[in-house]
Structure formats: structure tokens, C-alpha cells
Amino acid sequence: MSIVEKAIEFKEKKHKFITTSDRIIAAREVKELILGVNELYKVNKDSELMDLMKDLTVIKQKIEKRLKGRPSAA
């Protein structure tokens, strides 16, 4: 399975991470996918790859936002 296929599969699956460790694993996985697609983009300059990276980045930001939690009111 190519990196693009893995990235598309990750983008289209449900993102319901129950535990913190699930979220950490997902954040690491999506980061690897973004970096892999970026390497392909450097060679091809395909706009579809850029759109895929943008979509994955949004997913990654949501996961990381959930990991950080809300700032405690002091």
C-alpha cells in the first residue's frame, strides 16, 4: 500500500479515539503520513497532494487540540 493510499484511508476513516494513548498513536501516524506525502509533493508538485496534506493537517490539529485539553482556570 502506497503512502498516498494510506493517507486517503486515514482521512476517510472514523476518528473516534477513546483513550489518550489512541490519540497519541493517531497523531504520530498522521504526522508520518503528512511527511511522506510531503516528500512526494516535493517531486511532483501535484495540487491533489497539497489538498491531501491540508486535510491531514486539519485532522492532526484536532487530535492535538484534544490531547492538550482545556486550560485550567486559575
Side-chain angles (χ1 to χ4, degrees), residues 39-56:
E39 290 300 317
L40 290 175
Y41 179 76
K42 287 179 185 178
V43 175
N44 298 337
K45 302 290 185 197
D46 185 8
S47 63
E48 290 181 14
L49 292 177
M50 179 56 80
D51 292 338
L52 181 60
M53 283 193 296
K54 287 179 182 178
D55 293 341
L56 291 174

Side-chain angles (χ1 to χ4, degrees), residues 12-37:
E12 292 177 352
K13 74 178 181 180
K14 290 260 185 196
H15 299 289
K16 188 173 183 181
F17 307 111
I18 305 299
T19 64
T20 302
S21 61
D22 289 344
R23 290 184 200 105
I24 292 170
I25 291 169
R28 289 178 182 165
E29 180 182 354
V30 74
K31 180 180 178 181
E32 290 296 320
L33 291 172
I34 292 169
L35 293 174
V37 172

